[in-house]
Amino acid sequence: MKVTVFGSGYVGLVTGACFAEAGNHVLCVDIDVGKVARLQQGEIPIHEPGLDDLVKRNFEKGRLKFTTSAEEGIAHGLFQFIAVGTPPEEDGSADLSHVLAVAETIGRNMTEYRVIVDKSTVPVGTADKVRERIDQALGERGVKVEYDVVSNPEFLKEGAAIADFMKPDRVVVGTDNPRTAELLKTLYDPFTRNRERMIVMDVRSAELTKYAANAMLATKISFMNEVANLAERMGADIEKVRLGIGSDPRIGYSFIYPGAGYGGSCFPKDVKALVHSAGEYQFDAQLLKSVEAVNKRQKQLLFRKIGAFFKGELKGRTIALWGLAFKPNTDDMREAPARDLMEALWAAGAKVRAYDPVAMIEAKRIYGDRADLDLVASAEAALDGADALAVVTEWQEFRSPDFDLIRDALKHKVIFDGRNLYEPALVKSFGLVYHGVGRGERLVV
Ligand SMILES: NC(=O)c1ccc[n+]([C@@H]2O[C@H](COP(=O)([O-])OP(=O)(O)OC[C@H]3O[C@@H](n4cnc5c(N)ncnc54)[C@H](O)[C@@H]3O)[C@@H](O)[C@H]2O)c1
């Protein structure tokens, strides 16, 4: 089948590459000229495990192509996927300008039937706005062309995006047109072979499903962080509590890890956008507001602990930072807790010596050259001359460190473990001070 994907970011590129891998002919359209040029030379602009090979293989086979020409894209695919960004506006609402710009271009150029598939995360009612834009553009041209607008939210996880796309838990399709649902079923069949995973529903329910999924996951994290803060004050160990509650199948073990707060390009913006949407329907989304507030507070926790340990004297100190990405296996630093920590440390006059297995280039892109940020080549190098170590991202390579080396390298023998990677007793047995999240020792008032 012929597929066009607008947007070659984390979602668009994975979508395009996976559809091509199944034998479809995919044309990816992006307005970022530099990005398209790099892709055309076989260079992958993001870090996503397995994506490199997948893109190269399909590019070489001629099934995956890249262009900046929207016209070419609209002429190419029966399916027109919209996978462009929907970043947050100042007021928390989702910025739909990129999505609607694509819709307008489609309306301006479409000459035959097209299935327009919204894969970007968009508020309920966006499909109607997409239709309006297309109708307006068609009206201005004085032509009538048949089309359908479908909501097909994406649930992939950065860091495991290929596996998630290839073997999805579910494929949600929002449409009122059974013919369109059938077309999408044919397109997705190769990814759902061992059992039917497509859930067809009306467009609005599909749009809300995506927000509900992310809001639920964010809620689980904030809930655990709330209980972790209680554990800290009550002399309990949240890691024991986690095991104790996770064993209940109604609760389950996944997504109940306490830590330095959630970040990334999705949870923060999607929770905010849902709160904002609720307001537009005159509903005060109290739980979601709290989820966000708890997370905001949690993202300050590491800084507050470090500040308390050094009795507020952070000026001139150097903090070693392990992990910059918002989670492991990605270079994405959007809303990463490491950013909150670094920026707070800088504001307090401290320096940061940071290491991340893949996000260093991204950190450099965001912050440029600055005297209070040293990006170093290894976890060990980050410790050199540092006062303390803060672990912010749970990369595999940070899980079993050489504690002797850490102790000897640090001026103050202290680890702030923002992901509860280490056993407090083990760390202490090496002569280090340990501060995790919710592990029974209260440092911050
Ligand atoms: N990143 C994730 O893990 C994830 C998961 C599920 C859903 N989503 C949603 O998917 C959407 C895309 O997210 P992302 O992380 O891939 O974003 P991204 O910022 O990585 O990529 C967006 C791409 O769209 C391009 N673009 C913008 N306007 C365009 C236009 N008019 N025509 C063509 N290309 C255009 C940009 O240049 C950019 O390359 C968002 O709505 C997001 O919420 C993201």
Side-chain angles (χ1 to χ4, degrees):
M1 299 175 103
K2 286 187 170 179
V3 179
T4 296
V5 183
F6 283 89
S8 303
Y10 288 88
V11 169
L13 197 52
V14 169
T15 301
C18 290
F19 279 142
E21 179 73 1
N24 299 291
H25 286 267
V26 180
L27 183 56
C28 291
V29 184
D30 203 291
I31 48 169
D32 184 334
V33 180
K35 191 180 263 189
V36 172
R38 286 172 72 186
L39 285 165
Q40 282 169 338
Q41 282 155 24
E43 213 186 301
I44 312 303
I46 52 171
H47 176 87
E48 183 57 51
L51 186 59
D52 224 302
D53 284 349
L54 202 62
V55 170
K56 278 185 191 146
R57 186 167 57 243
N58 286 285
F59 184 68
E60 278 159 17
K61 294 236 156 119
R63 288 195 300 252
L64 181 63
K65 295 187 172 144
F66 303 98
T67 182
T68 52
S69 163
E71 291 79 2
E72 222 182 289
I74 294 156
H76 173 82
L78 164 65
F79 297 98
Q80 302 277 316
F81 277 82
I82 305 181
V84 298
T86 47
E89 296 269 29
E90 282 286 301
D91 62 1
S93 63
D95 173 2
L96 291 180
S97 60
H98 304 298
V99 170
L100 296 179
V102 174
E104 192 168 323
T105 318
I106 293 175
R108 288 223 177 110
N109 294 283
M110 176 168 68
T111 53
E112 56 187 318
Y113 177 70
R114 291 289 176 255
V115 182
I116 294 132
V117 191
D118 196 351
K119 203 166 240 327
S120 297
T121 303
V122 291
V124 174
T126 300
D128 295 336
K129 291 185 180 164
V130 165
R131 244 179 250 116
E132 266 168 38
R133 281 292 174 101
I134 295 174
D135 286 345
Q136 201 182 340
L138 288 173
E140 283 165 14
R141 287 165 61 201
V143 295
K144 272 205 162 78
V145 183
E146 235 197 295
Y147 70 90
D148 279 300
V149 177
V150 181
S151 166
N152 171 221
E154 183 50 57
F155 298 96
L156 63 77
K157 301 182 286 294
E158 282 177 26
I162 307 286
D164 286 348
F165 198 97
M166 291 294 195
K167 280 186 186 293
D169 297 325
R170 76 295 211 190
V171 175
V172 169
V173 168
T175 176
D176 302 324
N177 185 343
R179 186 179 66 157
T180 323
E182 269 313 303
L183 283 172
L184 277 157
K185 193 173 165 332
T186 310
L187 182 65
Y188 274 108
D189 250 356
F191 307 100
T192 61
R193 289 202 68 80
N194 71 348
R195 67 177 164 84
E196 184 47 74
R197 285 155 206 240
M198 186 169 278
I199 305 172
V200 180
M201 57 182 80
D202 61 281
V203 177
R204 285 182 166 248
S205 301
E207 288 171 334
L208 185 55
T209 297
K210 174 63 193 177
Y211 281 102
N214 276 357
M216 175 59 139
L217 295 171
T219 303
K220 286 183 94 173
I221 296 175
S222 276
F223 173 82
M224 277 315 272
N225 284 335
E226 186 102 308
V227 181
N229 290 325
L230 286 177
E232 204 155 295
R233 283 156 177 79
M234 294 170 169
D237 182 352
I238 190 65
E239 291 303 323
K240 303 271 170 22
V241 176
R242 180 174 67 76
L243 298 174
I245 64 170
S247 52
D248 182 335
R250 292 170 304 174
I251 297 173
Y253 289 110
S254 53
F255 252 78
I256 55 167
Y257 291 94
Y262 61 75
S265 68
C266 292
F267 292 176
K269 93 170 161 60
D270 292 349
V271 171
K272 278 191 203 105
L274 191 51
V275 167
H276 187 273
S277 289
E280 287 183 335
Y281 289 86
Q282 288 77 49
F283 183 74
D284 183 18
Q286 291 178 14
L287 175 64
L288 299 177
K289 281 182 182 168
S290 300
V291 166
E292 201 200 336
V294 166
N295 193 54
K296 220 170 161 185
R297 184 176 63 190
Q298 199 70 9
K299 283 170 111 181
Q300 296 161 1
L301 185 68
L302 276 181
F303 173 72
R304 291 178 58 220
K305 281 183 190 251
I306 296 170
F309 181 85
F310 288 110
K311 303 202 165 36
E313 287 162 16
L314 289 172
K315 204 170 165 59
R317 298 209 184 269
T318 299
I319 307 299
L321 214 97
W322 283 4
L324 293 163
F326 85 94
K327 67 172 181 180
N329 300 319
T330 182
D331 58 352
D332 199 339
M333 284 183 65
R334 286 179 280 188
E335 308 245 9
R339 292 177 70 167
D340 295 69
L341 176 58
M342 282 197 289
E343 288 164 23
L345 287 169
W346 292 333
K351 280 177 76 168
V352 171
R353 183 160 302 146
Y355 167 73
D356 186 285
V358 300
M360 313 267 270
I361 298 167
E362 182 61 3
K364 180 111 197 229
R365 188 190 67 78
I366 297 168
Y367 294 112
D369 283 322
R370 42 185 302 163
D372 48 10
L373 174 63
D374 251 353
L375 294 168
V376 295
S378 68
E380 291 74 26
L383 304 169
D384 228 8
D387 287 280
L389 167 64
V391 183
V392 194
T393 316
E394 63 275 36
W395 283 97
Q396 202 63 34
E397 69 172 82
F398 300 152
R399 285 175 192 260
S400 293
D402 181 340
F403 289 113
D404 282 321
L405 191 141
I406 297 176
R407 182 198 56 229
D408 294 345
L410 294 177
K411 284 190 199 148
H412 298 263
K413 316 298 178 194
V414 56
I415 298 182
F416 297 93
D417 180 359
R419 297 293 169 191
N420 286 358
L421 294 189
Y422 312 127
E423 259 316 304
L426 178 74
V427 177
K428 286 175 192 165
S429 74
F430 283 87
L432 283 151
V433 177
Y434 176 84
H435 289 290
V437 179
R439 314 220 57 183
E441 278 176 35
R442 186 177 177 192
L443 185 60
V444 180
V445 184

